[in-house]
Amino acid sequence: MEKFASPGKGNGLRLLKAVKPGELLYRAAPFAYIVSKKRLGGVCEHCLRRKERLLRCSQCKVARYCDAHCQKEAWQDHKRECKCIKDIDPNFPPDSVRLVGRIIFKILKQSVCPSEELYSLSDLQSNVDELSEDMKEGLRHLAKTLQLYLKVEIQDVSQLLPALDIFQIFAKVTSNCFSISNGELQDVGVGLYPSMSLLNNSCDPNCVVIFEGPQLHLRSIREMQLGEELTISYTETVMPTPERQQNLKRQYCFECDCVMCSTQSKQDADMLAGDEQAWKEAKEVINKVGAPKSREEWEQVLLSCQTLLKSNTSRLPDTNIYQLKLLDLAMDACINLGLWEEALHYGNRTLEPYRFYYPGFHPLRTIQMMRVAKLQFHQDMSSQALETLKQTYDLMKVTHGTEHSLMQNLMILKDEVEAGMLLK
């Protein structure tokens, strides 16, 4: 692929050859990345894998690692920030402040980064002129927070290299950073991948971004021709067009004119089908749910979902997006509470809506099918689990690739299911 001038969009990426669905188009290590604040202590700071017991940095007491190898590999990125974290204890910086701190330390080292192969940090667009005054004020506040965070290592951030404009860096990070997710698409960190910032948005994209640890993989999910532009979705696509447009305008400062946005009426009507008052009540409940941790919190979430789902039986189809979110939330609550049979009931109800909204290859549908397969196996429904796993494999080989660690997990589960069937 190559960088090119995309009409009406600035720069973009296009193919130098025709490709089929499932091809790995690009592999990128981050220029800089961090574990998100809400995941601290639960995943390794280097490889981003989840593990029950992690080694703790003896200095800052915050960073944690799988083992001595990961700790050693991460030291160059953690060395200077370690002092900063220790100095501001017990406070901890926002994700963007910690990420920009790492970016600055990397710039000062003047090290070459492979992720700048097609587009460098200095090339990134900040969109400062398009930002609202509220957003600009927010970035100024973050710049001041950064000054306090770095003071033990850098006395005066404003005296750094002339080309190092902290406000501009924050603006670039806001517009260009990627949320790093694990194989199951749960956010674990934030990273900057300059070359991948060339990818333009489409709410009906031809590519997906998947992560293996901090490494970004760009994969095709459609057959594409020579010269075709590569696109990804910057935002959740299963939401009404006005909400998608609002999100894109607020964070990325543009209005999307993709096919899906241009033909919004039919898709939006499906998403909001049913009784308006019912889906507004569902939306309100969903927006109030934070990040449940205790059993009591999950029990309350499940009770709220059950109450609404019961009252919505004849008011909302499962394809209504807020009804679908309720089903997903109820499924999560049941899994966290060990209510496997009920979790499977809700999971089964989500499969048709997922197929409806993601008819081709999409990571979200892939993950949902694998979750349902696990629940079927847990309920001794071996033949159903095996069939679901086979369908999941066909999706995953495109969305994740056969070498991804999640594919290896799928194959292990498939072997367990088949072994259990032989013993019966």
Side-chain angles (χ1 to χ4, degrees):
M1 59 189 181
E2 65 176 359
K3 182 176 78 170
F4 80 114
S6 180
K9 299 179 182 179
N11 292 306
L13 285 174
R14 64 184 176 191
L15 289 170
L16 291 172
K17 65 171 187 176
V19 300
K20 294 180 179 180
E23 289 197 37
L24 178 62
L25 303 177
Y26 198 75
R27 215 187 283 259
F31 182 92
Y33 70 103
I34 52 105
V35 171
S36 59
K37 194 172 181 178
K38 65 182 179 181
R39 294 288 182 176
L40 286 174
V43 297
C44 174
E45 292 270 341
H46 177 62
C47 68
L48 302 183
R49 288 188 176 88
R50 187 170 52 203
K51 197 174 180 181
E52 287 297 320
R53 293 186 178 182
L54 295 165
L55 298 178
R56 186 172 67 173
C57 173
S58 60
Q59 297 299 312
C60 68
K61 314 292 187 190
V62 171
R64 283 175 166 78
Y65 305 96
C66 289
D67 48 36
H69 172 74
C70 276
Q71 188 166 13
K72 182 179 179 181
E73 290 293 311
W75 182 240
Q76 284 304 311
D77 287 330
H78 182 59
K79 184 177 180 180
R80 297 188 72 177
E81 75 163 9
C82 184
K83 295 178 183 177
C84 299
I85 293 171
K86 188 177 178 182
D87 184 63
I88 64 164
D89 184 65
N91 299 313
F92 195 82
D95 290 345
S96 57
V97 169
R98 189 181 177 202
L99 180 59
V100 170
R102 283 197 167 191
I103 290 169
I104 289 171
F105 291 143
K106 192 135 188 177
I107 292 171
L108 294 176
K109 278 170 53 181
Q110 298 183 325
S111 55
V112 177
C113 185
S115 63
E116 294 184 285
E117 176 187 1
L118 300 171
Y119 210 52
S120 70
L121 179 66
S122 60
D123 292 327
L124 296 179
Q125 299 299 304
S126 64
N127 298 319
V128 168
D129 293 338
E130 305 293 328
L131 296 177
S132 67
E133 281 305 314
D134 284 346
M135 286 199 73
K136 288 179 182 178
E137 184 56 37
L139 295 182
R140 292 187 195 102
H141 176 73
L142 289 173
K144 290 177 182 176
T145 304
L146 179 75
Q147 179 94 30
L148 295 172
Y149 172 58
L150 296 180
K151 68 178 181 180
V152 70
E153 278 289 302
I154 303 172
Q155 293 299 315
D156 187 354
V157 177
S158 65
Q159 297 303 310
L160 292 173
L161 302 174
L164 232 173
D165 185 321
I166 304 304
F167 180 82
Q168 286 283 337
I169 292 179
F170 270 110
K172 287 181 177 184
V173 166
T174 300
S175 296
N176 294 281
C177 69
F178 283 79
S179 290
I180 303 173
S181 57
N182 59 19
E184 296 181 352
L185 303 185
Q186 299 164 329
D187 289 346
V188 293
V190 185
L192 193 66
Y193 303 78
S195 290
M196 292 295 91
S197 292
L198 286 166
L199 291 163
N200 283 314
N201 173 78
S202 170
C203 300
D204 186 21
N206 52 30
C207 296
V208 292
V209 164
I210 291 292
F211 292 90
E212 183 73 276
Q215 190 176 71
L216 181 153
H217 292 180
L218 179 68
R219 306 190 65 86
S220 60
I221 54 173
R222 291 187 189 158
E223 188 169 317
M224 290 181 277
Q225 303 306 312
L226 166 69
E228 189 169 341
E229 180 171 5
L230 305 176
T231 59
I232 60 172
S233 176
Y234 288 7
T235 188
E236 182 183 351
T237 55
V238 182
M239 67 169 66
T241 303
E243 288 188 33
R244 288 201 314 275
Q245 293 280 16
Q246 186 180 26
N247 289 350
L248 292 168
K249 185 69 174 175
R250 183 176 61 249
Q251 182 166 359
Y252 303 104
C253 306
F254 72 87
E255 292 182 5
C256 183
D257 60 356
C258 72
V259 173
M260 187 168 166
C261 288
S262 302
T263 57
Q264 58 175 288
S265 55
K266 177 63 171 70
Q267 185 82 330
D268 287 353
D270 290 329
M271 290 182 187
L272 300 179
D275 184 88
E276 183 176 354
Q277 184 59 37
W279 64 251
K280 283 185 175 179
E281 290 172 5
K283 181 180 180 181
E284 186 178 351
V285 168
I286 292 161
N287 289 340
K288 284 182 179 177
V289 175
K293 293 181 180 178
S294 68
R295 184 174 183 85
E296 292 74 19
E297 289 174 329
W298 278 115
E299 286 174 346
Q300 185 56 53
V301 168
L302 180 57
L303 179 61
S304 298
C305 291
Q306 288 171 330
T307 302
L308 275 177
L309 288 169
K310 185 176 180 180
S311 69
N312 290 346
T313 301
S314 60
R315 301 166 73 195
L316 293 179
D318 287 349
T319 47
N320 178 286
I321 58 171
Y322 299 112
Q323 176 84 341
L324 177 56
K325 288 177 188 291
L326 277 180
L327 291 169
D328 261 332
L329 193 54
M331 180 184 178
D332 287 341
C334 288
I335 290 172
N336 279 277
L337 294 169
L339 303 173
W340 311 118
E341 186 176 353
E342 197 171 348
L344 178 57
H345 167 71
Y346 293 125
N348 280 331
R349 286 179 63 179
T350 69
L351 291 184
E352 179 55 27
Y354 269 82
R355 187 203 63 76
F356 179 75
Y357 287 117
Y358 305 113
F361 298 101
H362 197 285
L364 285 173
R365 185 178 170 208
T366 303
I367 299 303
Q368 191 73 351
M369 290 190 69
M370 186 165 179
R371 295 175 79 207
V372 169
K374 288 179 180 178
L375 290 168
Q376 290 171 332
F377 180 52
H378 203 283
Q379 293 295 300
D380 293 325
M381 300 167 64
S382 299
S383 58
Q384 294 96 320
L386 186 59
E387 179 58 33
T388 306
L389 286 171
K390 288 177 179 177
Q391 294 177 35
T392 306
Y393 175 86
D394 290 338
L395 292 173
M396 194 178 290
K397 67 183 179 182
V398 172
T399 60
H400 290 68
T402 56
E403 301 303 315
H404 196 279
S405 58
L406 194 67
M407 177 64 89
Q408 295 167 22
N409 293 342
L410 184 148
M411 298 309 294
I412 290 171
L413 181 59
K414 180 173 176 289
D415 290 344
E416 289 179 7
V417 172
E418 291 176 333
M421 293 175 71
L422 288 174
L423 292 173
K424 291 182 178 180

